[in-house]
Amino acid sequence: KLQTPQKKPKIKQKHKKNTSKRHHQVVDPDSDSEISDHFPRFLVIHGTDDNKPLKKLSPFAIQKGIQGLAGSPDKVQRLRSGDILVQVSRRSHANNLLRSQMLVDVPVTISPHRSLNTCKGVIRCRDLMDCDEKEILDNLRDQGVTCVKRIILKRDGNVRNTSTIILTFGMPHLPTHVKCAYLNVKVDTYIPNPLRCFKCQKFGHHKETCRRPAICARCSSAEHDDSSCQAAPKCANCSENHPSFSRDCPQWVREKELQVLKHTKGMSFPEARKYLD
């Protein structure tokens, strides 16, 4: 009898499931792969020992010292004070520098720059008019918002909210939008008004640091302040017949243009003045 060949049993192959899509990676807060921009990118290195001043170090020693602590920085700049400004793009580099107490053989303190690590933007949204500042801050904190300030109007002794809100972000670059619950709200660049001293009425500094004599903001007289002034107005900045706080002052308009260039073009005040001249 002819025997029919027996069929070999099919062996079921086990296919490995592709779980790469389901894999959730745990991100170390110090890791460079973290997407968040919320870390200081601009750091200031300040020497703490007068016997070993930081300004005595050569540029080569400073560069090698910083590279030993945090790799290759994006930018290194010596400030007028003698301190060193360092710009980094990695969180781990920033953390390494912040933990450091020595640069080469010079004792130092390293801290975030006071202003370069933040930026301000303006949002305008009627749906947020009844929300207080704390509620807005609590819900936008995960988007880098560190401070919320609503613009209010005072008329005839009455105060009312507006739909304009100033947001401070803990990052050097302004986002284009913020997500407010189901709302996608556009963020515009915040342009501050010119800084005017309430003591000498000149632009560019606070009265706390002013060394000039106090004058009236209305008539520019040094004999009284503006609370009881009945004299004809005279500007302390352009000498025309308006108060020093008038927004029609040509000097105020120029200072406002400087602020626009500084915050929209990234210019310094000297660069902006040179551009306008």
Side-chain angles (χ1 to χ4, degrees):
K1 295 181 180 179
L2 297 175
Q3 295 180 352
T4 57
Q6 297 180 352
K7 293 183 179 181
K8 294 182 180 180
K10 292 183 179 181
I11 301 176
K12 292 184 179 180
Q13 295 181 352
K14 295 182 179 180
H15 296 281
K16 293 182 179 180
K17 294 182 179 180
N18 185 6
T19 59
S20 59
K21 293 183 180 181
R22 300 180 182 180
H23 179 64
H24 298 280
Q25 184 179 4
V26 178
V27 179
D28 185 355
D30 290 341
S31 173
D32 296 332
S33 61
E34 189 177 3
I35 300 176
S36 173
D37 286 335
H38 309 163
F39 68 91
R41 296 172 181 269
F42 295 89
L43 307 171
V44 177
I45 304 177
H46 173 72
T48 58
D49 190 348
D50 294 337
N51 296 323
K52 292 183 177 181
L54 193 61
K55 61 183 180 181
K56 292 293 184 180
L57 289 178
S58 72
F60 303 104
I62 292 173
Q63 183 74 11
K64 291 179 181 178
I66 294 175
Q67 288 178 345
L69 296 173
S72 297
D74 292 351
K75 185 178 181 181
V76 179
Q77 178 183 353
R78 190 187 293 273
L79 304 177
R80 291 183 180 180
S81 61
D83 295 342
I84 304 298
L85 177 66
V86 182
Q87 180 183 354
V88 298
S89 56
R90 295 178 180 270
R91 177 185 292 273
S92 59
H93 291 175
N95 289 342
N96 288 342
L97 285 170
L98 291 171
R99 287 192 290 259
S100 303
Q101 298 180 353
M102 296 288 292
L103 180 67
V104 191
D105 60 346
V106 176
V108 297
T109 57
I110 302 180
S111 58
H113 192 278
R114 289 182 297 178
S115 60
L116 292 179
N117 293 297
T118 61
C119 60
K120 288 187 177 182
V122 178
I123 62 174
R124 297 169 178 86
C125 182
R126 292 185 177 275
D127 291 339
L128 299 177
M129 288 186 64
D130 295 329
C131 300
D132 59 30
E133 295 174 351
K134 184 180 183 303
E135 181 182 7
I136 298 173
L137 176 60
D138 291 342
N139 286 278
L140 298 184
R141 198 184 299 274
D142 61 347
Q143 299 179 60
V145 177
T146 59
C147 183
V148 174
K149 180 66 176 178
R150 182 187 297 279
I151 301 298
I152 59 174
L153 288 180
K154 294 182 180 180
R155 290 182 181 176
D156 301 327
N158 298 321
V159 178
R160 69 180 183 86
N161 289 340
T162 69
S163 60
T164 303
I165 302 169
I166 302 173
L167 302 180
T168 302
F169 294 85
M171 62 185 76
H173 302 295
L174 197 68
T176 58
H177 294 78
V178 289
K179 194 72 174 177
C180 300
Y182 52 85
L183 302 171
N184 197 32
V185 184
K186 181 184 177 183
V187 180
D188 295 318
T189 303
Y190 170 68
I191 309 296
N193 285 327
L195 177 63
R196 180 176 59 86
C197 175
F198 293 162
K199 181 181 176 184
C200 73
Q201 311 308 323
K202 299 295 183 179
F203 292 103
H205 64 275
H206 288 281
K207 66 177 183 178
E208 288 79 8
T209 60
C210 181
R211 297 181 180 179
R212 297 188 179 98
I215 63 173
C216 175
R218 179 175 174 81
C219 71
S220 303
S221 172
E223 299 177 357
H224 58 264
D225 58 24
D226 60 340
S227 60
S228 58
C229 179
Q230 300 296 325
K234 180 182 178 181
C235 179
N237 293 294
C238 69
S239 299
E240 294 186 6
N241 57 347
H242 57 250
S244 300
F245 50 79
S246 173
R247 296 192 178 186
D248 295 327
C249 175
Q251 187 64 30
W252 189 94
V253 174
R254 175 181 169 82
E255 292 293 324
K256 186 66 175 183
E257 291 175 348
L258 292 175
Q259 292 285 353
V260 172
L261 289 174
K262 181 179 185 297
H263 290 85
T264 59
K265 303 297 184 182
M267 295 182 179
S268 64
F269 279 120
E271 291 172 339
R273 289 190 180 95
K274 186 176 180 181
Y275 179 85
L276 290 178
D277 293 338

